[in-house]
Amino acid sequence: MSEPVQRPRFHLLSFIIRVISTLAILGFAIWGAMALFYQAPGPAPVRILIAAVWAFVSLFALYAYLRWHPRLASLLYPLLIAALLFWWNAIPASNSRDWADEVAHIVAGVVNSPEVTLANVRNFDWRTSTDYTARWENRTYNLDKLASVDLLLSYWSSPAIAHTLVSFGFEDGQFVTFSVEIRKERTESFSEIGGFFKEFEMSIIAADERDIVRVRTNVRKEDVYLYRLNIPKPAMRSLFLSYVDIANGLNETPQYYNTITANCTTIVFAMINHIASGALPLDYRLILSGYLPSYIIGVNGFTPGFTLEQLQRGGAISTRAQAADNAPDFSRRVREGVPGIAPLPQP
């Protein structure tokens, strides 16, 4: 009689399950600690302590799973995760906080076709980042006179990351720029990591270009590029109304900003993709928004007949914006030499 074949100590399936479970515990240890640090109640020392306790419990659960009592760990730790996720999902967004002045209001729109009246259009006069005259205005736009849509990208550090703005131009020379931004409180500052952990609500700002563009080019000294989008007029109108619809929704039901899933670029993509009936492909450049122009030119979204290099060179508007400063014809002057834009008339 032959000897029985010895079975391997660990089956492949068992090994895979252990690896996945280990990675899951480590992942929830890190995510849970960060979530508790940003959202647990109390001052920073208390939040740090709570986050540290969660990390310790998670690491103890990992030790128990691997070395001591795997069945107990498999039963108890998922219950802790469920409780953490229940708490996380129950944290409500709010429109009632002590907001920073520049995001004190979310634009709201009333549509009386073809006219749209926007409440709380921002028109600040910026002298420095902390010295400004705050103005919020009501403005009315005739969508039958909508003439152009421009994409603006503002770079402040890495070439991979840029803030995205969309500016609508009208036949009478008016421009209004929409920007999806974090709605920070008066004592807060932007944090990419905090943007993953419900640190900020989301806002949609509609603003005069002498405010929202000039503060970036002249005050913050960011590098701003302007591109003329190749969009038919019905899609321009639909895109404008999409911003109004989302802004009105945020006024009714606040939402959190998310660095990946709900930010200035991904929401622009979602709206344009809706207009294009799903024709636009998903791409890493929708997250690394600094590379967005190479994506858009690939789907024929810019004025045809120009290379990407020509569009970028002609679309670099920071120097022109600094020269124009607070001039009444700021919008016309920053567009001088931008590919695909005919010279605009004097206001």
Side-chain angles (χ1 to χ4, degrees):
M1 179 181 294
S2 60
E3 295 183 1
V5 177
Q6 289 188 345
R7 299 173 63 186
R9 185 176 180 182
F10 294 108
H11 291 294
L12 178 60
L13 180 60
S14 175
F15 174 75
I16 292 174
I17 291 174
R18 285 173 67 85
V19 170
I20 293 175
S21 299
T22 298
L23 293 176
I25 294 172
L26 289 174
F28 274 106
I30 296 170
W31 180 85
M34 296 295 291
L36 289 163
F37 170 74
Y38 278 100
Q39 292 299 328
V46 173
R47 290 185 283 112
I48 291 172
L49 177 61
I50 294 173
V53 169
W54 171 263
F56 174 80
V57 169
S58 298
L59 293 177
F60 181 79
L62 180 60
Y63 169 79
Y65 177 72
L66 295 176
R67 298 289 185 181
W68 178 48
H69 207 311
R71 289 187 178 180
L72 183 64
S74 299
L75 288 173
L76 293 182
Y77 193 66
L79 293 177
L80 294 177
I81 293 173
L84 181 70
L85 292 176
F86 179 81
W87 163 78
W88 177 256
N89 290 322
I91 301 172
S94 174
N95 277 335
S96 301
R97 303 190 194 277
D98 184 19
W99 304 115
D101 290 339
E102 64 269 27
V103 289
H105 303 284
I106 297 175
V107 66
V110 175
V111 180
N112 186 14
S113 188
E115 291 188 338
V116 178
T117 298
L118 298 181
N120 298 317
V121 176
R122 203 179 75 189
N123 188 21
F124 280 29
D125 181 13
W126 296 90
R127 292 173 288 276
T128 70
S129 59
T130 57
D131 180 20
Y132 47 82
T133 300
R135 289 191 297 262
W136 298 91
E137 301 172 350
N138 294 342
R139 296 187 180 185
T140 298
Y141 303 93
N142 188 333
L143 296 187
D144 287 344
K145 306 295 184 181
L146 187 55
S148 65
V149 181
D150 295 322
L151 171 73
L152 295 107
L153 294 175
S154 184
Y155 299 79
W156 64 94
S157 59
S158 165
I161 303 298
H163 185 73
T164 306
L165 307 97
V166 175
S167 189
F168 294 85
F170 294 81
E171 293 175 4
D172 60 1
Q174 289 191 91
F175 288 89
V176 60
T177 303
F178 288 91
S179 175
V180 177
E181 302 193 1
I182 64 166
R183 199 174 191 193
K184 63 183 180 181
E185 297 178 54
R186 195 174 298 276
T187 57
E188 291 179 327
S189 58
F190 178 67
S191 164
E192 288 89 349
I193 297 176
F196 287 104
F197 295 100
K198 297 186 177 182
E199 180 76 354
F200 313 107
E201 275 78 6
M202 186 169 69
S203 66
I204 291 189
I205 300 297
D208 190 289
E209 285 189 342
R210 282 184 297 173
D211 170 341
I212 204 163
V213 176
R214 182 172 164 268
V215 70
R216 288 171 165 79
T217 56
N218 294 37
V219 175
R220 301 176 189 168
K221 305 301 181 183
E222 298 176 5
D223 292 324
V224 179
Y225 293 80
L226 187 148
Y227 305 89
R228 175 58 49 91
L229 293 175
N230 182 28
I231 299 179
K233 285 198 173 183
M236 293 182 193
R237 183 188 187 107
S238 181
L239 182 57
F240 188 101
L241 292 174
S242 293
Y243 270 107
V244 174
D245 287 343
I246 293 176
N248 286 343
L250 289 176
N251 278 290
E252 291 293 328
T253 307
Q255 297 181 25
Y256 284 109
Y257 178 95
N258 186 280
T259 302
I260 295 294
T261 62
N263 59 45
C264 61
T265 302
T266 52
I267 290 186
V268 169
F269 170 80
M271 289 186 292
I272 295 178
N273 191 56
H274 174 73
I275 293 167
S277 301
L280 301 181
L282 291 172
D283 195 279
Y284 74 94
R285 288 166 290 186
L286 297 170
I287 298 174
L288 301 179
S289 50
Y291 302 133
L292 193 57
S294 64
Y295 170 85
I296 294 178
I297 198 171
V299 296
N300 302 314
F302 290 140
T303 301
F306 300 95
T307 66
L308 181 58
E309 182 182 0
Q310 290 171 326
L311 292 170
Q312 290 175 328
R313 185 170 60 249
I317 67 168
S318 293
T319 299
R320 294 194 292 270
Q322 289 162 12
D325 198 28
N326 205 21
D329 61 343
F330 177 89
S331 294
R332 180 189 67 81
R333 292 173 63 175
V334 299
R335 284 173 172 79
E336 292 177 348
V338 174
I341 300 181
L344 300 178
Q346 294 281 351

